[in-house]
């Protein structure tokens, strides 16, 4: 069992809110985490993918009123979206009886349906927690090293597979399941799986590049608006990250187009048919794959209030990741380089003059930490992840259970 940093976040949210929504991609470990929490609270678990459990909720008010004193876990909630209205009534009834917190733990495979349905019916009654793929800090004392996490990605079954072949097979099946079933189920519309797959592969090829919907549309033979809609869908499914430009009043001509990343590095490699580290090391995507991997690990542990983006001007000033942490006036500038002895670029020096960051980090693929002059420090990813996760937050420190 890999201890997940979302465990205390979910437990704390249950102690202050009536309902908690745990959202994340399929196979990321939501059910395992929910069952672990359920075991500590004598909860009732219902899998709404099961026809038997769905039948129990044919009259949800009648059934769930029998468990007013227990936490109820509802897995695969998107299969019964009509439940949200009933949950609101049950929560309000419980509040009148003095039960104000810890009523329902709702699991969903994406943010789309949960946010859409709950925004109206459960407003003020639900708190959301995202479960991301496994983070570097979560395997700090476990056998899979950093290299395995980068190559295989953070989905537990992929990361912990016995062989690289098994790991690749999991990811290939994951992609096909999303393409042929889950995208239609979760989005509520039928989309051409072949087009989505081609777009997904093209995004992997251009990992970390500025989003160019017109160019993608030309290659796919669809309109720019269709590409934008498909990218929105992959973002909502928590499979793709759209990193926005960092807003800064510097009087410069800034790039305003977002950068786009396939969020899990293992999926990037499978989409590009990269099977192991030997194949990855010589592949043109290696540097941008490492960049996306670093960004996901850092944002996965950053306080929820953190503002994140990238900085680039038309004159060439550039930094890969800018973080404005809670309570900090000046941001952190983070440049990401694949290699054991990274050196700062001219663009980073120009960006630092614009942003005036309080800290500047140069993240390489080694573990050493040392200054390289002008306020810039080379640092390993594992150490920087630990520094970021210890930053103060309004919601308390991020700790493992």
């Amino acid at each position: 069992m890999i201890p997940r940093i979302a465990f205390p976040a979910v437990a704390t949210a249950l102690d202050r809110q009536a309902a908690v929504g745990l959202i994340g991609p399929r196979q990321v470990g939501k059910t395992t985490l929910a069952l672990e929490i359920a075991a500590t609270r004598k909860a009732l678990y219902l899998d709404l993918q099961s026809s038997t459990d769905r039948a129990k909720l044919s009259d949800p008010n009648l059934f769930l009123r029998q468990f007013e004193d227990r936490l109820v876990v509802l897995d695969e909630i998107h299969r019964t979206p009509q439940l949200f209205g009933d949950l609101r009534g049950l929560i309000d009834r419980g509040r009148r009886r003095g039960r104000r917190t810890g009523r329902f733990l709702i699991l969903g495979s994406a943010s789309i349906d949960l946010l859409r349905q709950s925004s109206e019916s459960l407003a003020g009654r639900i708190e959301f927690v995202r479960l991301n793929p496994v983070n570097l800090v979560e395997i700090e004392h476990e056998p899979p090293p950093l290299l395995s996490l980068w190559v295989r990605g953070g989905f537990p079954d992929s990361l912990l597979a016995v062989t690289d072949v098994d790991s690749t097979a999991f990811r290939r099946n994951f992609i096909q399941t999303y393409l042929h079933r889950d995208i239609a189920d979760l989005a509520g519309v039928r989309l051409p799986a072949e087009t989505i797959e081609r777009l997904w592969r093209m995004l992997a090829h251009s990992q970390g590049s500025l989003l160019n919907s017109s160019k993608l549309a030309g290659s796919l033979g669809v309109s720019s608006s269709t590409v934008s809609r498909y990218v929105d869908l992959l973002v909502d499914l928590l499979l793709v990250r759209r990193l926005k430009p960092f807003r800064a009043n510097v009087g410069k001509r800034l790039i305003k187009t977002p950068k786009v990343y396939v969020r899990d590095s293992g999926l990037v490699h499978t989409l590009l048919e990269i099977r192991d580290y030997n194949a990855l090391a010589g592949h043109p995507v290696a540097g941008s794959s490492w960049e996306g991997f670093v960004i996901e690990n850092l944002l996965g542990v950053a306080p929820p209030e953190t503002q994140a983006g990238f900085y680039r001007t038309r004159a060439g000033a550039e930094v890969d990741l800018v973080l404005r942490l809670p309570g900090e006036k000046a941001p952190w500038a983070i440049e990401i380089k694949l290699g054991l002895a990274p050196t700062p670029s001219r663009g980073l020096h120009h960006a630092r003059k614009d942003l005036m960051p309080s800290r500047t980090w140069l993240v390489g693929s080694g573990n050493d930490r040392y200054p390289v002059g002008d306020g810039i420090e080379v640092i390993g990813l594992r150490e920087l992840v630990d520094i970021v996760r210890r930053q103060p937050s309004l919601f308390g420190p991020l700790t493992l259970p």
Side-chain angles (χ1 to χ4, degrees):
M1 178 75 70
I2 297 176
R4 306 305 303 271
I5 55 179
F7 183 101
V10 173
T12 300
L14 284 169
D15 289 337
R16 65 181 169 222
Q17 187 57 275
V20 173
L22 181 61
I23 59 175
R26 286 193 182 281
Q27 303 296 321
V28 80
K30 296 186 302 297
T31 299
T32 301
L33 177 59
L35 291 174
E36 188 178 1
I37 289 175
T40 67
R41 298 180 180 238
K42 298 181 180 179
L44 172 69
Y45 173 81
L46 298 174
D47 181 1
L48 300 182
Q49 195 167 356
S50 161
S51 58
T52 301
D53 282 355
R54 287 200 305 273
K56 295 176 182 177
L57 296 176
S58 56
D59 186 340
N61 281 287
L62 177 63
F63 181 79
L64 293 174
R65 281 187 182 185
Q66 311 305 311
F67 303 96
E68 286 188 336
D69 60 335
R70 296 172 63 182
L71 171 68
V72 177
V73 179
L74 299 170
D75 204 346
E76 300 287 338
I77 188 66
H78 65 276
R79 295 186 177 276
T80 54
Q82 67 276 11
L83 266 180
F84 283 108
D86 296 298
L87 295 183
R88 173 176 177 168
L90 290 164
I91 288 171
D92 290 347
R93 170 186 165 90
R95 285 178 170 178
R96 291 192 294 271
R97 292 169 172 256
R99 178 76 188 277
R100 305 186 64 85
T101 62
R103 290 296 313 280
F104 299 103
L105 177 57
I106 300 167
L107 278 59
S109 295
S111 60
I112 295 176
D113 289 280
L114 281 170
L115 292 175
R116 181 184 299 137
Q117 296 291 335
S118 66
S119 61
E120 296 180 2
S121 57
L122 291 183
R125 300 168 179 82
I126 188 167
E127 180 175 335
F128 287 96
V129 177
R130 287 191 177 184
L131 184 64
N132 299 312
V134 173
N135 190 280
L136 184 59
V137 72
E138 293 171 323
I139 61 167
E140 187 173 7
H141 303 295
E142 300 295 324
L146 181 150
L147 194 63
S148 291
L149 183 60
W150 176 30
V151 173
R152 295 184 171 192
F155 288 92
D157 286 345
S158 173
L159 177 62
L160 301 177
V162 176
T163 67
D164 287 338
V165 173
D166 293 339
S167 176
T168 300
F170 166 82
R171 283 175 271 138
R172 187 179 295 117
N173 292 334
F174 175 94
I175 291 168
Q176 292 304 312
T177 299
Y178 256 101
L179 289 171
H180 295 287
R181 188 189 72 182
D182 293 342
I183 284 178
D185 289 348
L186 294 168
V189 294
R190 291 289 168 183
L191 298 172
E194 181 181 351
T195 305
I196 291 288
E197 182 174 12
R198 288 177 62 200
L199 173 61
W200 212 350
R201 291 186 188 279
M202 291 168 68
L203 293 176
H205 274 290
S206 58
Q207 179 83 336
S209 298
L210 297 177
L211 178 60
N212 189 333
S213 296
S214 297
K215 182 178 179 180
L216 291 170
S219 299
L220 291 170
V222 299
S223 67
S224 294
S225 60
T226 298
V227 167
S228 297
R229 182 162 62 96
Y230 287 176
V231 172
D232 287 344
L233 173 63
L234 293 172
V235 170
D236 283 337
L237 292 173
L238 307 177
L239 297 172
V240 164
R241 180 180 296 280
R242 203 163 30 209
L243 188 65
K244 297 180 179 180
F246 187 80
R247 294 181 179 180
N249 298 319
V250 295
K252 301 289 181 70
R253 295 182 63 193
L254 303 178
I255 298 295
K256 298 181 180 180
T257 304
K259 293 168 71 173
V260 65
Y261 298 86
V262 176
R263 294 184 59 165
D264 182 72
S265 59
L267 293 184
V268 172
H269 304 150
T270 300
L271 288 165
L272 301 181
E273 299 183 355
I274 299 171
R275 294 177 174 82
D276 52 30
Y277 177 69
N278 185 46
L280 174 59
H283 198 282
V285 82
S288 54
S289 170
W290 173 254
E291 180 180 318
F293 175 71
V294 170
I295 289 172
E296 288 304 315
N297 272 271
L298 294 176
L299 296 187
V301 300
E305 314 94 313
T306 301
Q307 299 176 37
F310 73 96
Y311 181 79
R312 184 184 295 182
T313 70
R314 297 190 183 278
E318 182 177 3
V319 62
D320 295 322
L321 181 63
V322 182
L323 299 181
R324 189 183 296 278
L325 295 157
E328 296 284 339
K329 293 183 179 180
W332 288 9
I334 301 171
E335 182 75 2
I336 303 163
K337 301 284 188 182
L338 180 61
L340 298 178
T343 57
S345 64
R346 180 178 299 178
L348 176 61
H349 288 297
H350 291 322
R352 292 185 72 246
K353 292 178 181 178
D354 295 342
L355 295 170
M356 301 296 291
S358 60
R359 307 290 295 271
T360 301
W361 305 103
L362 186 55
V363 185
S365 44
N367 295 318
D368 294 335
R369 179 177 178 181
Y370 55 89
V372 289
D374 197 25
I376 303 173
E377 278 193 83
V378 170
I379 192 170
L381 176 58
R382 186 182 295 274
E383 185 173 359
L384 185 56
V385 164
D386 192 57
I387 290 172
V388 170
R389 79 180 178 107
R390 295 183 186 280
Q391 297 306 302
S393 164
L394 296 176
F395 296 93
L398 186 60
T399 58
L400 289 170

